[in-house]
Amino acid sequence: MKKLLNDPAQAVDESVEGFGLAHADLVEVRTDPLFVVRRQRPPHGTVAVVSGGGAGHEPLHAGFVGEGMLDAAVPGAVFTSPTPDQVGAAFVAADAGGGVLAIVKNYTGDVLNFETAAELADAEGVTVRTVLVHDDVAVEDSLYTAGRRGVGGTVMVEKIAGAAAARGDDLDAVAALAERASAAVRSMGVALHAPTVPHVGRPSFDLADDEIEIGIGIHGEPGRHRIPMASADEITKMLVEPVADDLGLANGEKVLLFVNGMGGTPPSELYVVYRAARRLLEERGVTVERSLVGSYVTSLEMQGCSVTVMRLDDELTGLWDAPVHTPALRW
Amino acid sequence: MKKLLNDPAQAVDESVEGFGLAHADLVEVRTDPLFVVRRQRPPHGTVAVVSGGGAGHEPLHAGFVGEGMLDAAVPGAVFTSPTPDQVGAAFVAADAGGGVLAIVKNYTGDVLNFETAAELADAEGVTVRTVLVHDDVAVEDSLYTAGRRGVGGTVMVEKIAGAAAARGDDLDAVAALAERASAAVRSMGVALHAPTVPHVGRPSFDLADDEIEIGIGIHGEPGRHRIPMASADEITKMLVEPVADDLGLANGEKVLLFVNGMGGTPPSELYVVYRAARRLLEERGVTVERSLVGSYVTSLEMQGCSVTVMRLDDELTGLWDAPVHTPALRW
Amino acid sequence: MSAVTGVLDVAWARTWVQAAAVAVADAKDELTELDRQIGDADHGFNMDRGFQAAAAKVVDAPAETVGDVLKLVAMTLMSTVGGAAGPLYGTAFLRAAKVTTAPELGPDDVVALLEAALEGVVARGKAAVGEKTMVDAWTPAAAAAASARDAGADAVGVLEAALRAAEEGAASTVPLLATKGRASYLGERSQGHLDPGARSTVVLLAAALEAARA
Amino acid sequence: MSAVTGVLDVAWARTWVQAAAVAVADAKDELTELDRQIGDADHGFNMDRGFQAAAAKVVDAPAETVGDVLKLVAMTLMSTVGGAAGPLYGTAFLRAAKVTTAPELGPDDVVALLEAALEGVVARGKAAVGEKTMVDAWTPAAAAAASARDAGADAVGVLEAALRAAEEGAASTVPLLATKGRASYLGERSQGHLDPGARSTVVLLAAALEAARA
Ligand SMILES: Nc1ncnc2c1ncn2[C@@H]1O[C@H](COP(=O)(O)OP(=O)(O)O)[C@@H](O)[C@H]1O
Ligand SMILES: Nc1ncnc2c1ncn2[C@@H]1O[C@H](COP(=O)(O)OP(=O)(O)O)[C@@H](O)[C@H]1O
Ligand SMILES: [Mg+2]
Ligand SMILES: [Mg+2]
Ligand SMILES: [Mg+2]
Ligand SMILES: [Mg+2]
């Protein structure tokens, strides 16, 4: 394993420290317990939007702390949910009197730790509402699983919620919009090469030189099935079709298309996938109104990508377009 | 080799096509010959800033086409300079009557092709001035080489030149500022894993599991020496020291610090390097006034990073801070 | 204050935690490898981080009863483990702490401890037997403990029965298809692997018995 | 219009380009591998892209003289090859085109062609002999051609002498330390490798001779 790090046990702390130094204009890093909070506090009464999860998905979540998106983010150990004391402290620090909307990717660990954290915050008089992101259509049948995983669509839900909070919506309204975004977004991913968790030292799963893993998550967990290497157009089809089918996209609908890199895949390849995805959607009569291409929800240095599609309506489009100023997303 | 692409021979065209679709608000992709030009033309008489080079370094250069940075960018084949007809066409298309500043990374191929292109443009009445970027201190002795390579510092030179052009400076002034930026910037890189050029199909050089390559370029060319894997702090020292020494950074000086990912390295690792680099600079009494952390000058999916330092003065700081609105850089 | 063989008092509880820290450290790679196969390769690290912290806390923290020790463990796991295992084991130890306030645990108390732990895991995780989680180890452990107590076993005998049943319960997860936790994403590919949390449950109960015999 | 053996006319020039396209395609992997060792692994692709395009252009483009064909090649290489080799070979062919306007090339014309090509490479690239570039193949080729002409060789004999000298010149690059082009970044590590551009020069001259003998 070759990685740019020192002691693997310190990697998250050091990385977040560096992040805080590089973006001191926007964020503040608190330690003991560790979390990242917006430097500029929003006006009193504003809803605070908070998210978090295991490290290794950067820029998610801390990269989205700032104006118009998250008020705080809580990094756990690599691929491991943060603990309730961390999350609870972030809830309390971020609350500006308007209550907290917690955006939680649907993993047992995150759900349980955020649940406990909400109890802690409640004890300190901070109201927390939770919205789950569960956009991964690779997890086919939610009756027999812990439910769909939260993956790329998290960026959309965080952006929409943050924009709603920034315009002054109350907690119920922000939560309702976040739920609407969450219900409107679906994703599916592929891995060409597994990531290596620093303290483990070897790839999370083994892929032969001519194999790829379809339906991959973002924690190095294996996907749904393994297939021989295929062309970008073929692979993109395997990602876009289930997403579009599950959303039930119909002729004439408008969507946001997000092609996300998993950490080890360069932009040039993502744009080849974007081109293919866009064609497939257009063939269905679907208009791509907004686009995002880049590595925003990564899985360490995993090679591969995911395709996320969000069904747009005028309100969601407006909230997506609303100003955002964070280390990783800005307009 | 596993990559998200179709026919390797079409990879650049398809990727640039996808890029154009995703960023149609900012750029226009022209084909035959291939180049990318800003959609919103600047006011008549504005200096046009144009750059280009081999593909495989995305988002460089096309990702920087837009307001306040480049007016056009010319992608060649992977790691191969574009041809004079491409570059010449971009010069002519970008010219807004104020002449063209060409920013050329110092490689024999780029220099020769841009030189020829400038002759072509001149024949069409377009004045072209050229500024070379040669910031790579890994190339130690320029008397016995083709001169230092242009690497990460290209982002700084393009941003400074673009800002100068946007505020209405004339060609001489824009060229002088670009030269100043170029003279003030130095870089050094490391590779943990070589990139694979699509049409070659195997890594550009071979590194053992416990080896890294110091002084790497961005074209898969081997570096200056190979050393055993080391910690992020140790590696960063090997990058920062030669850069700071070469710049002759003194106590009290102000700099911009840019930690650049090579394509296959995730942000979490870059921030660990940033933290180490910042400490080393601060130990020298140097103040890091501006920062950039991310994968902006890549080498396909190469794993590794480079550290770039630019000495700042008030004017360069102001130009760096000036608004920019491009697919890859925006504030 | 060192543990007296066969006496399940606060000294035993402290020894248990130290033994658990050693045993989890020894099992770290094994647990991580199990989790690599059907999860995300962190269970050994999560548990190790938690139990090293718990052992360090327990060494010199004041504690009057077994319950005091278990509560300290619960709070420490809650704030250091993260992932699914953190809140699950945290809640298990918290519930167990509430029913272990006697100066010395008898057979009934050991059964109560195990049943409370199981209830805690189920309350948090909402898993039933057969879903390929640590519940598949805790459930037979609590049941076997009750049977042993009914059959007249002493406290250590009850623990012994619990451990054996937990081992069998953990082994029973191998062919199961996971329907809770991260392994459930794998669908049928989760079959043929031992559940990491069931395995770590065995490691913890083995440490409890070892401490009782020390 | 097919080439007549030993006659270096426009038909020969056309055949040369076709032969060069085939030879470069055959040498593509070899050239790329040489460039992988001390450069950026694209020389074979660059040359192949250029010569396939040139061959396609030359097939039915009108051309009266050798110079017309070489000019077409020059323009095509210039607009398709890129990299260092594009402008270098482009300029070489452009300069060579200017001195090959005779209906049929004699020994003097072949020398002039080679000298003009060399001048073109040097004018663009500013490299001298010994810097481990294609100049190390073109320089002895032009010199040997002049000697052969002086010794009374015919046009084909001059070409033959040039090719042999180019081969030796290319081989001479192996121990050299590169001080021009991308290989110069390697410093001492550039030693022990054949320069890709010197090798492609040999491939092109071999095709010229092959076309003359066809
Ligand atoms: N809903 C649940 N109920 C009970 N145990 C669960 C549940 N979900 C997961 N587990 C247990 O947690 C273990 C995984 O723990 P760990 O790897 O530390 O957390 P994570 O899955 O978040 O990475 C599983 O092996 C399983 O025994
Ligand atoms: N300054 C120069 N003068 C003459 N030949 C050069 C010069 N620089 C490079 N070359 C030749 O170009 C060859 C490399 O061509 P190529 O790989 O196509 O371009 P690039 O180096 O841009 O990738 C080298 O092997 C060398 O022979
Ligand atoms: Mg985990
Ligand atoms: Mg090249
Ligand atoms: Mg796990
Ligand atoms: Mg080359």
Side-chain angles (χ1 to χ4, degrees):
Chain A
M1 177 194 64
K2 287 188 282 186
K3 285 176 185 282
L4 294 167
L5 46 80
N6 300 304
D7 176 5
Q10 300 302 316
V12 173
D13 287 345
E14 291 183 3
S15 181
V16 175
E17 183 188 334
F19 172 82
L21 289 169
H23 305 290
D25 53 329
L26 290 170
V27 306
E28 200 179 309
V29 172
R30 303 269 180 89
T31 51
D32 286 311
L34 182 72
F35 63 92
V36 176
V37 64
R38 214 176 131 178
R39 188 167 293 276
Q40 283 285 333
R41 305 306 310 277
H44 183 80
T46 307
V47 172
V49 182
V50 178
S51 192
H57 308 303
E58 293 73 21
L60 189 80
H61 300 269
F64 302 129
V65 172
E67 204 183 310
M69 208 159 166
L70 297 183
D71 293 277
V74 195
V78 173
F79 293 171
T80 301
S81 166
T83 58
D85 58 323
Q86 283 179 275
V87 180
F91 285 161
V92 172
D95 181 47
V100 173
L101 181 78
I103 297 176
V104 181
K105 304 197 296 304
N106 186 35
Y107 298 96
T108 305
D110 293 86
V111 171
L112 298 186
N113 284 289
F114 272 74
E115 198 175 280
T116 314
E119 289 168 21
L120 294 178
D122 187 68
E124 301 206 32
V126 173
T127 311
V128 179
R129 292 275 300 269
T130 297
V131 169
L132 287 183
V133 187
H134 36 61
D135 55 322
D136 188 353
V137 302
V139 178
E140 280 163 28
D141 190 349
S142 59
L143 273 180
Y144 298 103
T145 65
R148 284 180 165 165
R149 298 176 289 216
V151 289
T154 313
V155 178
M156 281 72 232
V157 178
E158 293 182 356
K159 173 69 180 77
I160 298 297
R167 75 178 178 191
D169 285 14
D170 67 14
L171 187 53
D172 281 345
V174 174
L177 278 159
E179 284 289 5
R180 219 165 96 200
S182 179
V185 74
R186 296 288 187 287
S187 302
M188 176 110 167
V190 63
L192 276 57
H193 201 284
T196 297
V197 176
H199 52 238
V200 179
R202 61 201 197 92
S204 295
F205 52 90
D206 307 303
L207 276 177
D209 276 355
D210 54 355
E211 277 179 347
I212 59 176
E213 185 98 14
I214 296 279
I216 192 76
I218 53 171
H219 296 90
E221 64 270 48
R224 291 293 290 195
H225 48 276
R226 198 159 288 191
I227 59 161
M229 183 60 198
S231 74
D233 286 355
E234 288 160 350
I235 293 171
T236 307
K237 191 161 183 172
M238 290 182 241
L239 304 182
V240 170
E241 299 285 303
V243 163
D245 287 348
D246 199 278
L247 272 176
L249 284 182
N251 192 19
E253 291 203 272
K254 294 169 183 169
V255 299
L256 179 155
L257 171 59
F258 170 30
V259 174
N260 175 56
M262 289 298 190
T265 290
S268 50
E269 297 179 34
L270 300 182
Y271 284 114
V272 172
V273 171
Y274 176 86
R275 171 180 173 275
R278 182 148 173 160
R279 290 186 170 200
L280 290 165
L281 290 170
E282 283 170 356
E283 278 167 19
R284 286 184 178 239
V286 170
T287 309
V288 175
E289 290 261 305
R290 296 293 182 274
S291 299
L292 186 69
V293 182
S295 296
Y296 294 100
V297 181
T298 60
S299 183
L300 294 172
E301 79 291 1
M302 183 158 88
Q303 286 180 351
C305 73
S306 60
V307 172
T308 295
V309 177
M310 180 164 78
R311 175 184 271 116
L312 287 176
D313 56 40
D314 287 347
E315 182 161 31
L316 290 181
T317 305
L319 291 166
W320 178 255
D321 287 347
V324 59
H325 183 177
T326 69
L329 212 61
R330 181 165 179 181
W331 54 74
Chain B
M1 177 194 65
K2 287 188 282 187
K3 285 175 185 286
L4 293 166
L5 46 80
N6 300 302
D7 176 6
Q10 299 302 315
V12 173
D13 287 345
E14 291 183 2
S15 181
V16 175
E17 183 188 333
F19 172 82
L21 289 169
H23 305 290
D25 52 329
L26 291 170
V27 306
E28 201 179 307
V29 172
R30 303 270 180 88
T31 51
D32 286 313
L34 182 70
F35 63 92
V36 176
V37 64
R38 214 175 130 178
R39 189 169 290 276
Q40 284 284 333
R41 305 307 309 275
H44 182 79
T46 306
V47 173
V49 183
V50 177
S51 192
H57 308 303
E58 293 72 20
L60 189 80
H61 299 270
F64 302 130
V65 172
E67 204 184 310
M69 209 158 165
L70 297 183
D71 293 278
V74 196
V78 173
F79 293 171
T80 300
S81 165
T83 58
D85 58 322
Q86 282 180 274
V87 179
F91 286 161
V92 172
D95 181 46
V100 174
L101 181 78
I103 296 175
V104 181
K105 302 197 295 306
N106 186 35
Y107 298 95
T108 305
D110 294 85
V111 170
L112 299 184
N113 284 290
F114 273 74
E115 198 174 281
T116 314
E119 289 168 21
L120 294 178
D122 187 66
E124 301 206 35
V126 173
T127 311
V128 179
R129 291 275 301 271
T130 298
V131 170
L132 287 183
V133 187
H134 35 60
D135 55 322
D136 189 353
V137 300
V139 178
E140 280 162 27
D141 189 349
S142 58
L143 274 180
Y144 296 104
T145 65
R148 285 181 165 165
R149 299 175 289 215
V151 289
T154 313
V155 179
M156 280 73 234
V157 179
E158 294 182 355
K159 174 68 181 73
I160 298 296
R167 75 178 177 191
D169 285 13
D170 68 14
L171 187 53
D172 282 345
V174 174
L177 277 160
E179 283 289 6
R180 219 165 95 200
S182 179
V185 74
R186 295 289 186 288
S187 303
M188 176 109 168
V190 61
L192 276 57
H193 200 283
T196 297
V197 177
H199 52 238
V200 179
R202 62 203 196 91
S204 295
F205 51 90
D206 306 304
L207 275 178
D209 276 354
D210 54 355
E211 277 179 346
I212 59 176
E213 186 97 13
I214 295 279
I216 192 74
I218 54 171
H219 296 90
E221 64 270 50
R224 291 293 289 196
H225 48 276
R226 197 157 288 191
I227 59 161
M229 183 61 197
S231 74
D233 286 354
E234 288 161 348
I235 292 170
T236 306
K237 190 161 183 170
M238 290 182 242
L239 305 181
V240 170
E241 299 286 303
V243 163
D245 287 347
D246 199 278
L247 272 176
L249 283 182
N251 192 18
E253 289 203 276
K254 294 169 182 171
V255 299
L256 180 156
L257 171 58
F258 169 30
V259 174
N260 175 56
M262 289 298 191
T265 290
S268 50
E269 296 179 34
L270 300 181
Y271 283 113
V272 173
V273 172
Y274 175 86
R275 170 181 173 274
R278 182 149 173 158
R279 290 186 171 201
L280 290 165
L281 290 169
E282 284 171 354
E283 278 167 20
R284 287 184 177 238
V286 170
T287 308
V288 176
E289 290 259 305
R290 295 292 182 273
S291 299
L292 187 68
V293 182
S295 296
Y296 294 99
V297 181
T298 60
S299 183
L300 295 172
E301 78 292 1
M302 182 159 89
Q303 286 178 351
C305 73
S306 60
V307 172
T308 295
V309 177
M310 181 163 78
R311 174 184 272 118
L312 287 177
D313 56 39
D314 287 348
E315 182 161 29
L316 290 181
T317 305
L319 291 165
W320 177 255
D321 288 346
V324 59
H325 184 177
T326 69
L329 213 61
R330 181 165 179 181
W331 55 73
Chain C
M1 188 167 68
S2 79
V4 178
T5 305
V7 177
L8 305 193
D9 56 5
V10 65
W12 162 77
R14 288 184 194 270
T15 309
W16 177 14
V17 178
Q18 304 305 329
V22 172
V24 166
D26 286 347
K28 184 173 158 184
D29 290 348
E30 181 200 348
L31 295 173
T32 297
E33 178 56 26
L34 291 174
D35 198 29
R36 196 179 81 95
Q37 285 164 17
I38 57 168
D40 59 352
D42 62 359
H43 190 58
F45 290 91
N46 297 347
M47 293 298 287
D48 189 43
R49 196 169 50 242
F51 275 89
Q52 297 323 312
K57 274 262 175 62
V58 161
V59 159
D60 44 30
E64 304 278 309
T65 65
V66 170
D68 291 343
V69 173
L70 299 190
K71 184 166 181 202
L72 207 61
V73 171
M75 299 317 288
T76 311
L77 296 183
M78 209 74 110
S79 71
T80 56
V81 177
L88 289 168
Y89 278 122
T91 309
F93 276 86
L94 202 59
R95 298 273 178 113
K98 288 201 183 138
V99 298
T100 47
T101 49
E104 188 191 323
L105 309 190
D108 275 332
D109 298 308
V110 175
V111 171
L113 185 164
L114 293 165
E115 285 176 345
L118 169 61
E119 277 161 26
V121 170
V122 172
R124 268 274 163 250
K126 315 269 180 325
V129 169
E131 299 204 86
K132 200 182 184 100
T133 70
M134 59 175 71
V135 169
D136 294 328
W138 283 106
T139 305
S147 302
R149 185 241 355 241
D150 295 347
D154 65 3
V156 176
V158 167
L159 254 190
E160 224 176 302
L163 172 60
R164 267 198 310 272
E167 280 167 348
E168 280 166 31
S172 79
T173 64
V174 172
L176 293 178
L177 190 140
T179 52
K180 278 283 184 314
R182 206 177 281 284
S184 69
Y185 305 139
L186 288 180
E188 287 166 9
R189 283 167 74 186
S190 67
Q191 292 178 306
H193 298 279
L194 188 63
D195 176 63
R199 175 72 193 128
S200 60
T201 299
V202 170
V203 170
L204 295 181
L205 292 180
L209 184 63
E210 188 193 320
R213 285 173 173 163
Chain D
M1 185 170 65
S2 80
V4 178
T5 305
V7 177
L8 304 193
D9 58 4
V10 65
W12 162 77
R14 287 183 195 271
T15 309
W16 177 15
V17 179
Q18 304 305 329
V22 171
V24 167
D26 287 346
K28 183 173 159 185
D29 290 347
E30 181 200 348
L31 295 174
T32 297
E33 178 56 25
L34 290 175
D35 198 27
R36 196 179 81 95
Q37 283 163 20
I38 57 168
D40 59 351
D42 63 358
H43 189 59
F45 290 90
N46 297 345
M47 294 298 288
D48 188 45
R49 193 169 52 239
F51 275 88
Q52 297 323 312
K57 274 264 174 62
V58 160
V59 160
D60 45 28
E64 304 279 309
T65 64
V66 171
D68 292 344
V69 173
L70 299 189
K71 184 168 180 198
L72 207 62
V73 171
M75 300 315 291
T76 310
L77 296 184
M78 209 75 111
S79 70
T80 55
V81 176
L88 290 167
Y89 278 122
T91 310
F93 276 86
L94 203 59
R95 299 274 177 110
K98 289 202 182 133
V99 298
T100 48
T101 50
E104 187 190 326
L105 308 190
D108 277 333
D109 299 309
V110 175
V111 172
L113 185 164
L114 293 165
E115 285 176 343
L118 169 62
E119 277 161 24
V121 170
V122 172
R124 269 271 164 251
K126 316 267 182 322
V129 168
E131 299 204 87
K132 200 182 184 103
T133 71
M134 59 174 71
V135 169
D136 293 328
W138 283 105
T139 306
S147 303
R149 184 249 344 252
D150 295 348
D154 67 1
V156 175
V158 168
L159 253 190
E160 226 176 303
L163 172 60
R164 267 198 309 271
E167 280 166 348
E168 280 164 32
S172 79
T173 64
V174 172
L176 293 177
L177 189 139
T179 52
K180 279 282 184 315
R182 204 177 284 284
S184 69
Y185 305 140
L186 288 182
E188 287 166 10
R189 284 166 72 185
S190 68
Q191 292 178 306
H193 299 278
L194 187 64
D195 175 63
R199 175 72 194 129
S200 60
T201 299
V202 170
V203 171
L204 296 181
L205 292 180
L209 184 64
E210 188 193 319
R213 286 173 172 162

